Protein backbone atom coordinates (compact mmCIF):
# COMPACT_ATOMS: atom_id res chain seq x y z
CA UNK A 1 0.00 0.00 0.00
CA UNK A 2 1.21 3.52 -0.78
CA UNK A 3 1.02 4.84 2.79
CA UNK A 4 3.77 2.39 3.77
CA UNK A 5 6.45 4.11 1.70
CA UNK A 6 9.07 6.01 3.67
CA UNK A 7 8.77 9.24 1.67
CA UNK A 8 4.97 9.24 2.03
CA UNK A 9 5.13 8.65 5.77
CA UNK A 10 7.60 11.51 6.32
CA UNK A 11 5.55 13.78 4.04
CA UNK A 12 2.36 12.97 5.97
CA UNK A 13 4.12 14.05 9.18
CA UNK A 14 4.32 17.54 7.60
CA UNK A 15 8.08 17.82 8.02
CA UNK A 16 8.11 19.66 4.70
CA UNK A 17 5.42 20.95 2.38
CA UNK A 18 7.41 19.77 -0.63
CA UNK A 19 7.54 15.99 -1.30
CA UNK A 20 10.52 16.46 -3.62
CA UNK A 21 12.57 17.86 -0.74
CA UNK A 22 11.67 14.85 1.41
CA UNK A 23 12.79 12.48 -1.37
CA UNK A 24 16.08 14.39 -1.63
CA UNK A 25 16.68 14.10 2.13
CA UNK A 26 16.13 10.34 1.95
CA UNK A 27 18.27 9.93 -1.19
CA UNK A 28 21.16 11.68 0.58
CA UNK A 29 20.92 9.24 3.49
CA UNK A 30 19.64 11.65 6.14
CA UNK A 31 17.32 9.12 7.79
CA UNK A 32 17.80 5.87 9.69
CA UNK A 33 15.48 2.89 9.55
CA UNK A 34 15.95 0.57 12.52
CA UNK A 35 19.43 2.03 13.03
CA UNK A 36 20.57 1.66 9.39
CA UNK A 37 20.85 4.43 6.80
CA UNK A 38 18.13 4.59 4.18
CA UNK A 39 18.90 5.75 0.63
CA UNK A 40 15.73 4.72 -1.22
CA UNK A 41 12.50 6.68 -0.62
CA UNK A 42 10.28 3.96 -2.08
CA UNK A 43 11.13 1.35 0.56
CA UNK A 44 8.10 -0.14 2.27
CA UNK A 45 7.80 0.23 6.02
CA UNK A 46 6.62 -2.60 8.22
CA UNK A 47 4.72 -2.34 11.47
CA UNK A 48 7.02 -1.35 14.39
CA UNK A 49 9.83 -0.08 12.14
CA UNK A 50 11.56 2.95 13.66
CA UNK A 51 12.91 5.85 11.64
CA UNK A 52 14.85 8.90 12.80
CA UNK A 53 16.99 11.66 11.32
CA UNK A 54 20.76 11.23 11.38
CA UNK A 55 21.61 14.83 12.31
CA UNK A 56 19.06 15.49 15.04
CA UNK A 57 20.38 18.96 15.88
CA UNK A 58 19.95 20.17 12.28
CA UNK A 59 16.56 18.44 12.03
CA UNK A 60 15.20 19.98 15.24
CA UNK A 61 16.53 23.40 14.21
CA UNK A 62 14.50 23.15 10.99
CA UNK A 63 11.39 22.11 12.90
CA UNK A 64 11.87 24.98 15.37
CA UNK A 65 12.17 27.44 12.48
CA UNK A 66 8.99 26.16 10.85
CA UNK A 67 6.96 26.34 14.06
CA UNK A 68 8.20 29.65 15.47
CA UNK A 69 9.04 31.70 12.40
CA UNK A 70 6.55 30.39 9.85
CA UNK A 71 3.73 29.41 12.19
CA UNK A 72 3.67 25.97 10.60
CA UNK A 73 2.42 23.27 12.97
CA UNK A 74 2.91 19.57 12.49
CA UNK A 75 -0.08 17.32 12.38
CA UNK A 76 0.15 13.60 12.87
CA UNK A 77 -2.39 11.63 10.86
CA UNK A 78 -4.88 9.60 12.89
CA UNK A 79 -3.61 6.29 11.58
CA UNK A 80 -0.12 6.83 13.03
Amino acid sequence: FIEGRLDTIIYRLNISKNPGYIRQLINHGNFLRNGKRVFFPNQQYQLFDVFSPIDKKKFYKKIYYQIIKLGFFFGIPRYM
Side-chain angles (χ1 to χ4, degrees):
F1 58 95
I2 195 162
E3 295 294 330
R5 289 177 46 149
L6 178 58
D7 58 345
T8 306
I9 291 172
I10 295 174
Y11 179 71
R12 296 282 185 224
L13 290 174
N14 291 331
I15 293 172
S16 175
K17 292 183 179 181
N18 185 353
Y21 178 69
I22 301 260
R23 289 181 63 85
Q24 181 181 7
L25 286 176
I26 297 168
N27 283 332
H28 290 170
N30 290 318
F31 284 95
L32 299 173
R33 174 186 177 184
N34 297 330
K36 297 180 182 176
R37 282 183 106 166
V38 178
F39 294 99
F40 303 104
N42 59 353
Q43 288 184 346
Q44 291 287 325
Y45 252 64
Q46 303 299 322
L47 194 60
F48 302 115
D49 278 353
V50 177
F51 77 92
S52 64
I54 287 190
D55 188 1
K56 289 183 173 74
K57 184 176 180 181
K58 178 180 171 185
F59 185 73
Y60 292 137
K61 186 184 245 185
K62 179 177 174 26
I63 290 175
Y64 174 79
Y65 174 77
Q66 287 182 343
I67 291 174
I68 300 301
K69 303 291 183 185
L70 301 177
F72 181 67
F73 293 98
F74 299 96
I76 298 176
R78 292 181 183 211
Y79 58 85
M80 293 189 136

